[in-house]
Amino acid sequence: MTLRVVLADDQQLIRAGFRALLEAEPDIDVVGEAATGTDAVALVRAERPDVVLMDIRMPDGDGLWATEQITAAPELGGTHIVVVTTFELDEYVAQAIAAGASGFLVKDTEPVELIRSVRVAAAGDALLSPTVTRRLLERISGGLVAPRSVDGLRDLTEREREVMVLVAAGLSNEEIGARLFLSPLTAKTHVSRILTKLGARDRVQLVVLAYESGLVTPGLSA
């Protein structure tokens, strides 16, 4: 299956570099580019891509605003957003996650990691660079991220709690399956049920909920 990608960045050179990198992959097709937040939203509505690589600082509606517009539209539920920016600042991390981004990478990320991010996001997995993950968890443990409702946790089975802990540790469905002696498809089914029970959009939100609820604590290894 070919993954369809939209590039949203106000710098043409950045877009050109990302396009060349991604279109060298046989399973990735860049279906459009946008230089403003407003254009990015319109393009996503028209093309319904699998993944958007979204800059934060753009004119006419920044990347955070555009992310909120896209993730709030039910008809665009199949589109996943990876925020790619020069600015690895705490407030951007928190805002990007709150806006519904599926991942957050800085622009000096290695090319292979950027390509991987498209595939990971398209699969519905969480994608945060190690430094971003660490700083996000520090904010959670310090009470700097607004708490979410975790009432749905009581509805999780013991197995679903185990799976959620492993999701918070960054494991893929294949890795979760291997750890719990399940097939990857069964692990994926458990993750889907957890998302539904907690009303979470994707695995990034599960990571945040796992730490905010105390199910997992910063520094705890799975």
Side-chain angles (χ1 to χ4, degrees), residues 49-129:
D50 299 297
V51 178
V52 181
L53 295 183
M54 182 80 75
D55 188 24
I56 287 183
R57 292 192 174 182
M58 293 187 293
D60 192 20
D62 65 15
L64 296 174
W65 173 84
T67 297
E68 290 175 342
Q69 300 303 306
I70 294 166
T71 59
E75 68 274 18
L76 301 179
T79 296
H80 302 278
I81 298 174
V82 177
V83 172
V84 187
T85 181
T86 305
F87 306 97
E88 190 182 318
L89 302 178
D90 288 338
E91 61 266 28
Y92 287 145
V93 174
Q95 289 176 48
I97 298 306
S102 296
F104 189 104
L105 295 174
V106 290
K107 287 183 178 177
D108 62 358
T109 296
E110 293 293 327
V112 66
E113 186 65 17
L114 185 67
I115 294 169
R116 174 179 169 272
S117 76
V118 170
R119 298 190 176 112
V120 170
D125 289 340
L127 184 83
L128 296 171
S129 67

Side-chain angles (χ1 to χ4, degrees), residues 21-220:
L21 183 66
L22 294 173
E23 291 198 330
E25 300 297 309
D27 61 334
I28 298 177
D29 183 24
V30 176
V31 297
E33 301 179 16
T36 71
T38 298
D39 287 348
V41 173
L43 182 58
V44 169
R45 290 187 181 280
E47 294 292 341
R48 307 291 176 90
D50 299 297
V51 178
V52 181
L53 295 183
M54 182 80 75
D55 188 24
I56 287 183
R57 292 192 174 182
M58 293 187 293
D60 192 20
D62 65 15
L64 296 174
W65 173 84
T67 297
E68 290 175 342
Q69 300 303 306
I70 294 166
T71 59
E75 68 274 18
L76 301 179
T79 296
H80 302 278
I81 298 174
V82 177
V83 172
V84 187
T85 181
T86 305
F87 306 97
E88 190 182 318
L89 302 178
D90 288 338
E91 61 266 28
Y92 287 145
V93 174
Q95 289 176 48
I97 298 306
S102 296
F104 189 104
L105 295 174
V106 290
K107 287 183 178 177
D108 62 358
T109 296
E110 293 293 327
V112 66
E113 186 65 17
L114 185 67
I115 294 169
R116 174 179 169 272
S117 76
V118 170
R119 298 190 176 112
V120 170
D125 289 340
L127 184 83
L128 296 171
S129 67
T131 55
V132 167
T133 301
R134 183 178 65 253
R135 294 169 70 177
L136 175 61
L137 298 185
E138 288 171 353
R139 288 176 61 84
I140 293 171
S141 62
L144 299 177
V145 173
R148 302 172 188 267
S149 172
V150 292
D151 291 343
L153 281 176
R154 65 171 64 97
D155 297 326
L156 299 184
T157 65
E158 187 60 32
R159 174 63 83 189
E160 287 168 348
R161 285 173 175 266
E162 291 177 327
V163 170
M164 188 169 174
V165 169
L166 296 179
V167 168
L171 273 63
S172 67
N173 291 334
E174 289 76 13
E175 292 167 332
I176 291 172
R179 184 72 64 90
L180 299 179
F181 303 102
L182 306 170
S183 71
L185 180 58
T186 299
K188 181 178 181 180
T189 299
H190 281 305
V191 172
S192 296
R193 287 175 178 168
I194 296 168
L195 289 169
T196 299
K197 288 182 178 181
L198 298 184
R201 175 183 172 85
D202 55 29
R203 294 168 77 113
V204 170
Q205 291 188 0
L206 287 188
V207 172
V208 175
L209 284 171
Y211 282 90
E212 287 182 343
S213 67
L215 185 63
V216 178
T217 57
L220 178 63

